[in-house]
């Protein structure tokens, strides 16, 4: 649950840019290992210049140095986790209960409590992807009671 929530909240901030952000983080971490872009002759074909060629041609039997492979595996695992948790596009999820209905159902007045309840709803939806509005409302009612000091 905690991993799903943390990844979901991060994806909701990054939105469609999450994959490019992962790619940049992966490249930055790989660059920090000290390996140059031209790791060895097996990873390039036909360009003896010291600068990277415009198009990389990686042979199928080329092996990456262990530190680079470990970084690639880590980031591939992160992307697979997002897919496995079904979080792709979670930033497009609409609230189950809009602010006006929350005010009515929970007897809220305009103010910061609405924002708090909307934030809690986002978290609840990330943790309960098949959940419905009624179950979310029960949860939010309990949280509101706790916030107001009434317990759950």
């Amino acid at each position: 649950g905690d991993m799903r929530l943390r990844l979901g909240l991060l994806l909701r901030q990054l939105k469609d840019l999450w994959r490019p952000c992962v790619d940049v983080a992966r490249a930055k971490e790989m660059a920090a290992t000290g390996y140059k872009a031209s790791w060895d002759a097996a990873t390039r074909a036909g360009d003896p210049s010291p600068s990277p060629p415009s198009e990389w041609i990686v042979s199928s039997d080329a092996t990456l140095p262990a530190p680079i492979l470990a970084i690639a595996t880590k980031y591939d695992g992160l992307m697979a986790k997002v897919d496995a948790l079904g979080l792709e596009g979670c930033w497009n999820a609409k609230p189950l209960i809009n602010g006006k209905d929350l005010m009515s159902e929970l007897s809220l007045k305009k103010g910061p409590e609405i924002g708090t309840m909307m934030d809690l709803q986002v978290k609840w939806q990330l943790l309960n992807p098949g959940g419905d509005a009624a179950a979310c409302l029960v949860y939010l009612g309990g949280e509101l009671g706790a916030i107001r000091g009434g317990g759950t």
Side-chain angles (χ1 to χ4, degrees), residues 29-130:
E29 195 170 331
M30 285 178 173
T33 66
Y35 283 95
K36 300 246 185 273
S38 55
W39 295 310
D40 66 33
T43 61
R44 296 195 331 182
D47 185 358
S49 70
S51 61
S54 60
E55 289 192 80
W56 290 85
I57 302 170
V58 179
S59 72
S60 59
D61 61 348
T63 56
L64 297 172
I68 299 296
L69 184 59
I71 292 165
T73 301
K74 177 175 77 171
Y75 284 96
D76 288 347
L78 171 63
M79 295 178 99
K81 189 71 162 172
V82 169
D83 291 339
L85 291 173
L87 289 170
E88 182 73 44
C90 69
W91 53 90
N92 294 320
K94 301 287 183 236
L96 294 171
I97 311 154
N98 67 37
K100 185 177 177 182
D101 290 342
L102 271 181
M103 288 174 65
S104 171
E105 295 289 335
L106 298 176
S107 301
L108 296 171
K109 291 183 173 39
K110 288 186 178 181
E113 280 182 335
I114 297 168
T116 299
M117 292 295 107
M118 293 300 283
D119 289 344
L120 286 172
Q121 180 178 195
V122 165
K123 292 175 182 177
W124 187 88
Q125 285 183 246
L126 285 169
L127 290 171
N128 302 278

Side-chain angles (χ1 to χ4, degrees), residues 10-11 13-29 75 78-79 82-83 88-89 91:
L10 181 62
L11 292 177
Q13 289 181 324
L14 298 173
K15 300 180 180 168
D16 287 322
L17 295 176
W18 82 270
R19 285 184 187 270
C21 287
V22 168
D23 291 339
V24 168
R26 177 192 335 238
K28 184 173 188 222
E29 195 170 331
Y75 284 96
L78 171 63
M79 295 178 99
V82 169
D83 291 339
E88 182 73 44
W91 53 90

